[in-house]
Amino acid sequence: MADLRQFCTFFLDDRFFGVDVEKVQEVIRYQVITPVPLAPPVVRGLINLRGQIVTAIDLRRLLQVEERQDGRLPINIVFQTWQGIFSLLVDRIGDVLEVDQSIFERPPDTLEGIARELIQGTYKLQGRLLLLLNVEKLFSLAILNRQRRAASH
Amino acid sequence: MDEIIKEFLTESLEGLDQLDTKFVALEQNPNDRDTLASIFRTVHTIKGTCGFLGFGHLEKLTHAGENLLSLLRDGRLRFTQDMASALLAMLDAVRTMLVEVERTEGDGEEGYTGLIETLHYLKESGGVSPTPPAPAPPAESEPAAPPTPASLPESKPAAPPAAISLPPGPAPEPFLTILATLSEPAPKSTPPPKPAPAPPERPAAPPAPPSAGSSTIADSSIRVDVPLLDKLMNLVGELVLARNQILEYTLLQENPQLQAASQRLNLITSELQEGIMRTRMQPINNIWAKFPRVVRDLAVSCGKQVRVDMEGKETELDKSLIEAMKDPLTHLVRNAVDHGVELPAVRRSAGKPEEGCLLMRAYHEGGQVHIEISDDGAGINPVKLRNKALEKGLITLERAAAMSDQDLRRLIFLAGFSTAEKITNISGRGVGMDVVKTNIEKIGGVIDLESELGRGSIFKIRIPLTLAIVPALIITSGGERFAIPQVNLLELIRINEEQRGAAIEYVHSNPVYRLRGKLLPIVHLNRELELTPGRSNAVNIVVLQAGQHQFGLVVDQINDTQEIVVKPLDKVLQDVPVFAGATIMGDGRVALILDVLGIAQQARILNSSHDHNVGAQQLETRDQDGERQTLLLVRSPGNGRLAIPLAPVSRLEEFPADQVESAGEVDVIQYRGQILPLIRLQDILGERRTLDRLAHAEPDVPASNLLEVIVFGDGARRVGLAVDEIIDIVQGIFEIKGRSTRHSVAGTLVIQGRVTELFDVQGFLSQVEPLLAMAEEA
């Protein structure tokens, strides 16, 4: 029997990412974001999720990918994590994929910096690579605050 | 009735009701240790609490029952019929006493000695057999051992205990019968249950009128989970938001029915909100109740005599706030006894009664809860505090010199401060007043103190009624909306476009606004939050109170006031000190709630290293007694110091040195479309032939190419005094120590430990009068 896992997938430009589907609470279209002055830059702001205030994290800024060029609005992927509820802002949402563990490989040694900490590995799909993100780590204070320090220098 | 007793009653009566059920279960399965253990726990709890509350009879009885139960629970005794009877009789007796407690706040005269002996006997004898003889003796003994020692045999009625004397009789059946009888309160007061051979001295019915009707505590209150209340509170919060949204949309509609309905919704929501909030309210006595004891113990251990007086025990506040206030209040009370109240001998010699008095007051005012803890002790010695602070390097000598007594007393709230001469095990355990202050500020409160040497001290605390829903002012800055809790709000100032240029002045590059003669430090929200300023024609100043300090927050726009629901921010944002939380606005968007203290800190209004004289204190130009003055300290030629009374000063300005032109023999500068005559300080001060002066014979040239100019007068009659450097602004009562030695100097003072000349403003103005006239003509 193949060891299958389900991933919620999404894109930043054509970078293809996946997260454990279990962690995803829901995917919602763009919501008006209230920016939080003086916050770490990865925090885009706050959104109102049916009366609950959710912190929105910009994945581009987190992975130090340049800002989006096409001027379109991001999508919220809402995560339920140990650290609480977060929304991750991504460009576009993909399908839920069922992937066999056998095509998993650890990230190459050339991967550096924050990306190395957040990308657990890749699934070698046909024609493209699916990058697996470590959700719990992504929303940890250490990671979010690191960006603040980096920004203040 | 006392809240604690009420709680005890509710809890105990509930426990008893459960016990009835449990005894039934036990009857079916006598060896069920779990049930036994749970019965034991209930009885144990009641015993513990009534011991604490001083219900001796109740305690003795439950204690006897507990002893028996503990052996049963441990399996060292077998549960027998007699035991069941005795224990059930005990339950009834307890009920009777509780009713008595509810009625009179005492547990009655009845001692239930017989019952206690029965229980004791059962325990000792191991409740051997269900055979009649065994329990008989104690039953017999009952009449012989009357309830209260004071009155012999026929004295007190022993209604309920009667039950225990019933002969164990025919096996299992009576158990249920008894249970049925006993579980009804009514029979207790009336003749004993039929199976019981009535003890002879039965006659008088017990005084307790436990008529089942009327609303006893058990009936009129229920216990509710706090999490459930929290949830309700949240839901009401949501409802308030939805209501706000609907009200907003309704305003745009013309439909009168819709408007009527939404008005009604508005009212109901408000009432519901208030109701739910009230469910979470608890009297402050819940934490105060333990203080008399705390104070007593503490006083005894310090060899002091302290009486505690309380006013406004019933003042209610939100449960979460009660919890949060527990530690700060305990600390203040301990401090007052430990450091405040003096030893009896000291008090006597000071002409005070030996017994000190600790007064705790609580009351509602202006939507806030005020709590005051005062003592009539030694008071707080500002000099001692100053020395301590200097010794610990918490303040500089200069700063200390400029501080008023009240400011010095407030040093007690600085971190790392403890003035107890010897460290006692009572206070001085590393948790200082700074922690008290922080904890109070955390819940949106403020603390201040007043003290008079030899007369005592008073700590005043203000905290909000509730934290969940607060009235707030909504403002816009940098295109975003922010909420400012109204608790912090003092007033709003709007300055029209025409006046805006003149409204904000600068004290050494720190913006200030003149508010009724006082200089109010100004903070620009856009600047603090690094926002792009929005377009705004007028200057809007929100005057805020942050701790003891006031400041004006300049915002782009002032919108309206609203009730907002405070929601916490995620941890990652809690490092940003300027926000207290977030809320959802009527249009569904999120708005941040400003933390006024945080902003004050960020803007260094509260920062002690900051030039505190500008920011931190109210710069009163003239106090009521006329003695307090605010002085501008400037460097005078020859590196001396000159103090200029701030009152007649209209503005402080900085000009590039190259803007100075000359008109005739006078330097002038173009200022607000007029010509401002400029006098240099060194020109106006009379020559003083000292060695020092000779040594610095060359004229003082401004080090920078900026001129600091003090502007006197207004309108066209202005004159500028150019000085090299503005050093500071100080406030206090200054006494002229020396006579004037030269022109334009009224005398000498000592400020911040340095000899300082006092500028003679009147002399100066009259001297330059011709120049003023000139400017007028020009």
Side-chain angles (χ1 to χ4, degrees):
Chain A
M1 263 309 285
D3 180 10
L4 293 176
R5 283 179 69 187
Q6 284 198 322
F7 294 105
C8 172
T9 65
F10 52 88
F11 297 87
L12 289 186
D13 294 330
D14 53 359
R15 292 176 178 82
F16 190 40
F17 294 96
V19 287
D20 189 348
V21 81
E22 305 262 303
K23 306 268 189 202
V24 176
Q25 178 182 311
E26 61 192 301
V27 174
I28 48 173
R29 63 184 169 78
Y30 174 77
Q31 304 282 307
V32 183
I33 299 176
T34 301
V36 182
L38 311 182
V42 297
V43 175
R44 272 284 286 274
L46 305 171
I47 59 167
N48 170 10
L49 179 70
R50 297 182 301 275
Q52 193 168 13
I53 292 176
V54 175
T55 309
I57 305 293
D58 188 323
L59 184 60
R60 279 177 175 269
R61 292 185 189 165
L62 192 56
L63 292 178
Q64 293 158 352
V65 176
E66 72 286 359
E67 298 281 315
R68 195 171 187 177
Q69 301 303 323
D70 59 12
R72 291 170 65 186
L73 294 170
I75 301 279
N76 292 284
I77 305 182
V78 180
F79 288 89
Q80 191 67 261
T81 76
W82 288 111
Q83 281 89 23
I85 296 189
F86 286 92
S87 159
L88 193 66
L89 297 172
V90 303
D91 290 3
R92 154 169 88 83
I93 197 83
D95 295 325
V96 172
L97 291 184
E98 206 157 70
V99 180
D100 193 313
Q101 274 302 104
S102 65
I103 59 166
F104 179 79
E105 194 169 307
R106 299 202 45 77
D109 293 341
T110 47
L111 194 62
E112 281 185 323
I114 198 139
R116 172 150 204 105
E117 292 181 64
L118 297 181
I119 297 172
Q120 280 177 306
T122 54
Y123 287 92
K124 296 161 285 180
L125 304 182
Q126 272 196 329
R128 67 178 2 151
L129 294 174
L130 174 68
L131 307 180
L132 175 64
L133 285 179
N134 181 343
V135 174
E136 289 296 339
K137 193 152 190 188
L138 197 103
F139 298 116
S140 68
L141 282 182
I143 291 289
L144 298 178
N145 280 325
R146 168 129 29 118
Q147 292 287 325
R148 179 207 305 263
R149 277 200 299 279
S152 66
H153 286 315
Chain B
M1 189 184 303
D2 213 329
E3 198 60 29
I4 294 189
I5 296 183
K6 245 187 229 168
E7 239 172 63
F8 162 69
L9 284 174
T10 319
E11 205 175 78
S12 304
L13 288 171
E14 261 178 30
L16 288 179
D17 287 345
Q18 285 170 16
L19 283 195
D20 284 341
T21 329
K22 282 177 185 152
F23 271 114
V24 176
L26 203 58
E27 195 252 350
Q28 281 155 358
N29 185 5
N31 295 321
D32 183 352
R33 294 260 191 96
D34 285 347
T35 308
L36 273 167
S38 114
I39 293 173
F40 170 79
R41 276 196 303 275
T42 309
V43 175
H44 178 77
T45 309
I46 297 177
K47 185 203 82 172
T49 320
C50 59
F52 173 70
L53 293 173
F55 299 134
H57 294 321
L58 194 48
E59 186 190 6
K60 264 189 206 144
L61 178 62
T62 40
H63 183 67
E66 185 196 359
N67 284 343
L68 177 58
L69 280 165
S70 86
L71 292 180
L72 285 169
R73 180 195 57 175
D74 298 343
R76 291 198 279 163
L77 286 183
R78 278 180 54 82
F79 188 64
T80 65
Q81 210 61 94
D82 310 322
M83 291 180 187
S85 310
L87 288 170
L88 281 170
M90 177 198 75
L91 289 195
D92 260 2
V94 169
R95 265 210 192 84
T96 311
M97 286 197 250
L98 290 179
V99 171
E100 185 69 16
V101 167
E102 186 177 350
R103 212 170 52 90
T104 65
E105 296 200 18
D107 59 351
E109 300 291 299
E110 178 61 71
Y112 297 97
T113 329
L115 179 54
I116 291 172
E117 272 185 29
T118 311
L119 288 166
H120 188 67
Y121 171 81
L122 284 168
K123 189 190 93 186
E124 294 301 309
S125 67
V128 265
S129 69
T131 53
E140 295 310 323
S141 77
E142 192 189 16
T148 33
S151 47
L152 278 161
E154 63 263 58
S155 67
K156 293 294 164 174
I164 59 103
S165 57
L166 55 88
E173 209 190 321
F175 182 59
L176 280 176
T177 339
I178 296 162
L179 194 64
T181 337
L182 292 182
S183 55
E184 286 202 63
K188 278 178 286 174
S189 56
T190 50
K194 25 183 186 340
E201 83 287 14
R202 164 87 11 162
S211 54
S214 76
S215 64
T216 57
I217 281 179
D219 298 334
S220 68
S221 78
I222 54 166
R223 290 156 71 84
V224 183
D225 252 10
V226 173
L228 177 60
L229 283 182
D230 288 345
K231 192 167 173 222
L232 284 176
M233 191 72 194
N234 277 338
L235 284 174
V236 166
E238 298 299 325
L239 186 62
V240 168
L241 290 178
R243 186 251 341 240
N244 291 353
Q245 261 164 302
I246 286 182
L247 286 180
E248 210 159 285
Y249 294 134
T250 315
L251 284 179
L252 307 172
Q253 309 289 322
E254 292 287 303
N255 186 339
Q257 274 151 321
L258 177 63
Q259 298 213 336
S262 84
Q263 271 316 312
R264 187 145 175 70
L265 174 71
N266 185 12
L267 286 178
I268 295 172
T269 310
S270 302
E271 259 178 56
L272 184 63
Q273 179 192 335
E274 201 174 300
I276 293 287
M277 263 159 68
R278 285 206 48 201
T279 62
R280 297 175 47 93
M281 294 297 219
Q282 290 188 317
I284 196 157
N285 196 41
N286 281 14
I287 36 176
W288 277 13
K290 64 170 184 153
F291 285 140
R293 175 70 192 274
V294 168
V295 168
R296 187 206 148 272
D297 290 356
L298 199 56
V300 167
S301 75
C302 319
K304 295 176 181 174
Q305 294 171 19
V306 187
R307 178 181 84 241
V308 181
D309 285 346
M310 292 182 180
E311 283 175 25
K313 283 197 251 195
E314 63 294 328
T315 309
E316 290 186 319
L317 63 164
D318 192 273
K319 185 178 169 59
S320 56
L321 291 173
I322 289 242
E323 289 299 315
M325 284 309 294
K326 210 185 229 165
D327 289 348
L329 284 182
T330 311
H331 195 89
L332 288 174
V333 166
R334 298 179 83 101
N335 255 356
V337 177
D338 195 24
H339 303 315
V341 177
E342 316 91 323
L343 289 165
V346 180
R347 291 183 65 90
R348 205 180 322 123
S349 62
K352 294 199 259 190
E354 289 187 13
E355 186 183 55
C357 177
L358 183 73
L359 173 66
M360 310 183 67
R361 286 184 71 207
Y363 55 95
H364 284 162
E365 194 184 285
Q368 288 184 303
V369 181
H370 295 236
I371 304 172
E372 296 174 6
I373 311 266
S374 53
D375 64 68
D376 62 349
I380 296 169
N381 187 343
V383 178
K384 248 186 183 174
L385 288 181
R386 191 194 62 194
N387 295 345
K388 195 82 174 187
L390 286 174
E391 186 187 305
K392 297 200 170 196
L394 295 171
I395 52 167
T396 61
L397 200 62
E398 270 157 32
R399 184 157 170 230
M403 288 172 87
S404 67
D405 282 0
Q406 182 61 14
D407 292 330
L408 287 172
R409 282 191 204 103
R410 286 183 185 135
L411 285 174
I412 204 170
F413 294 119
L414 276 186
F417 209 94
S418 175
T419 51
E421 264 150 31
K422 57 181 180 197
I423 303 236
T424 59
N425 65 344
I426 297 148
S427 31
R429 57 181 74 189
V431 183
M433 293 295 287
D434 58 315
V435 180
V436 170
K437 183 165 183 268
T438 320
N439 284 342
I440 289 172
E441 282 171 356
K442 236 186 250 165
I443 54 168
V446 289
I447 179 165
D448 197 8
L449 84 162
E450 286 168 19
S451 182
E452 201 177 326
L453 257 188
R455 299 285 296 276
S457 313
I458 172 162
F459 284 87
K460 297 183 168 182
I461 302 169
R462 277 184 295 144
I463 50 174
L465 278 174
T466 175
L467 292 179
I469 301 182
V470 297
L473 176 77
I474 312 297
I475 58 109
T476 308
S477 240
E480 291 294 330
R481 274 173 304 180
F482 296 94
I484 302 175
Q486 292 221 356
V487 180
N488 305 106
L489 188 63
L490 293 175
E491 64 184 296
L492 300 176
I493 300 166
R494 187 186 159 87
I495 300 161
N496 293 335
E497 197 168 10
E498 311 85 70
Q499 300 165 342
R500 66 179 299 173
I504 309 261
E505 303 171 66
Y506 291 87
V507 175
H508 200 53
S509 81
N510 291 316
V512 292
Y513 175 77
R514 254 180 235 237
L515 180 61
R516 291 185 289 278
K518 291 179 190 172
L519 292 185
L520 183 73
I522 291 293
V523 174
H524 291 269
L525 187 60
N526 287 330
R527 217 167 289 161
E528 292 308 323
L529 300 186
E530 296 163 16
L531 298 167
T532 337
R535 280 175 44 78
S536 153
N537 297 329
V539 180
N540 290 300
I541 304 176
V542 183
V543 183
L544 297 169
Q545 180 87 41
Q548 274 103 39
H549 308 301
Q550 295 180 0
F551 67 99
L553 188 68
V554 175
V555 303
D556 290 352
Q557 225 176 75
I558 289 167
N559 307 5
D560 59 352
T561 58
Q562 258 182 37
E563 299 251 288
I564 58 162
V565 179
V566 181
K567 308 224 171 196
L569 290 175
D570 186 81
K571 278 192 220 72
V572 67
L573 297 176
Q574 282 171 0
D575 282 358
V576 186
V578 294
F579 303 117
T583 189
I584 296 173
M585 305 299 296
D587 62 1
R589 289 193 54 181
V590 178
L592 288 155
I593 302 167
L594 296 180
D595 180 337
V596 170
L597 271 177
I599 289 180
Q601 261 150 14
Q602 164 107 359
R604 299 159 63 79
I605 296 280
L606 297 181
N607 192 327
S608 53
S609 70
H610 185 254
D611 181 4
H612 69 104
N613 294 300
V614 176
Q617 281 144 37
Q618 305 162 346
L619 296 181
E620 297 167 52
T621 43
R622 215 168 287 124
D623 216 356
Q624 308 92 304
D625 52 11
E627 285 178 300
R628 282 175 85 80
Q629 284 194 70
T630 305
L631 300 176
L632 190 65
L633 281 185
V634 302
R635 192 154 64 84
S636 65
N639 212 14
R641 281 177 160 224
L642 183 76
I644 302 174
L646 200 59
V649 174
S650 71
R651 294 175 63 84
L652 300 174
E653 296 282 357
E654 267 179 357
F655 296 109
D658 55 13
Q659 275 189 16
V660 179
E661 302 167 58
S662 61
E665 291 183 0
V666 192
D667 283 343
V668 294
I669 202 157
Q670 291 183 31
Y671 176 62
R672 297 190 185 187
Q674 291 175 347
I675 293 172
L676 178 73
L678 215 52
I679 314 290
R680 288 176 196 271
L681 183 60
Q682 65 263 37
D683 297 337
I684 197 83
L685 285 181
E687 278 294 288
R688 187 175 50 173
R689 293 278 164 202
T690 63
L691 289 176
D692 182 58
R693 181 67 185 152
L694 289 173
H696 296 82
E698 76 278 16
D700 292 86
V701 215
S704 69
N705 48 6
L706 273 183
L707 275 181
E708 303 270 8
V709 176
I710 302 163
V711 183
F712 293 96
D714 50 27
R717 296 176 66 86
R718 286 199 181 101
V719 63
L721 179 68
V723 300
D724 295 345
E725 189 192 349
I726 293 175
I727 302 168
D728 205 346
I729 291 183
V730 293
Q731 189 191 32
I733 298 163
F734 302 105
E735 200 185 327
I736 293 187
K737 295 264 165 68
R739 300 235 317 274
S740 162
T741 55
R742 52 175 163 168
H743 248 329
S744 294
V745 170
T748 50
L749 329 154
V750 176
I751 297 175
Q752 298 181 347
R754 292 191 53 179
V755 173
T756 307
E757 289 175 306
L758 181 65
F759 191 62
D760 178 4
V761 180
Q762 286 317 315
F764 165 71
L765 288 179
S766 54
Q767 202 177 338
V768 299
E769 185 66 25
L771 291 175
L772 294 178
M774 180 202 79
E776 225 162 351
E777 284 156 26

